[in-house]
Amino acid sequence: MDTPTTLAFDGPGPWILFLPLIWAAVVLTVVTVLRRTVWRGGRPGPRQSDRGAVYGAHSPLAVLGRRFASGEIDEDEYWRRLSVLDEQFGRSLKDGAA
């Protein structure tokens, strides 16, 4: 005599194939977030690269400071041009140092 089974379980079904896709999406998201934040590899971010153009040795502010120090421009011209550069680059000079 065959005893009927009361369990109607035919296996996990086709939805089990979605689990690897979900894990792949999680891993891809974690790697993407880490690459954008922690793993820069020494490359400067967008704000850091802009900062080098404004504050570097060949920046407009440094050139203006050298021209003032060498006597090419007077103090009034220095402050006038510095205020223009301050508006352009968004740098606030509270102490007046270039």
Side-chain angles (χ1 to χ4, degrees):
M1 246 172 135
D2 290 326
T3 58
T5 58
T6 58
L7 297 176
F9 184 71
D10 292 335
W15 61 269
I16 194 73
L17 299 174
F18 288 114
L19 286 178
L21 293 175
I22 292 171
W23 279 110
V26 168
V27 168
L28 184 66
T29 302
V30 168
V31 168
T32 302
V33 167
L34 287 175
R35 284 187 70 195
R36 290 181 181 257
T37 57
V38 179
W39 297 338
R40 287 208 175 266
R43 294 177 302 189
R47 294 189 183 265
Q48 292 174 348
S49 62
D50 292 345
R51 195 175 299 148
V54 176
Y55 301 109
H58 300 292
S59 71
L61 295 173
V63 171
L64 181 64
R66 283 194 298 272
R67 288 186 66 196
F68 177 65
S70 67
E72 291 181 37
I73 57 175
D74 61 351
E75 185 177 357
D76 292 331
E77 181 75 11
Y78 171 77
W79 287 111
R80 186 177 66 78
R81 291 182 183 221
L82 187 63
S83 67
V84 171
L85 290 174
D86 186 24
E87 289 175 10
Q88 181 179 0
F89 292 110
R91 182 175 183 219
S92 63
L93 297 173
K94 304 245 187 267
D95 59 343

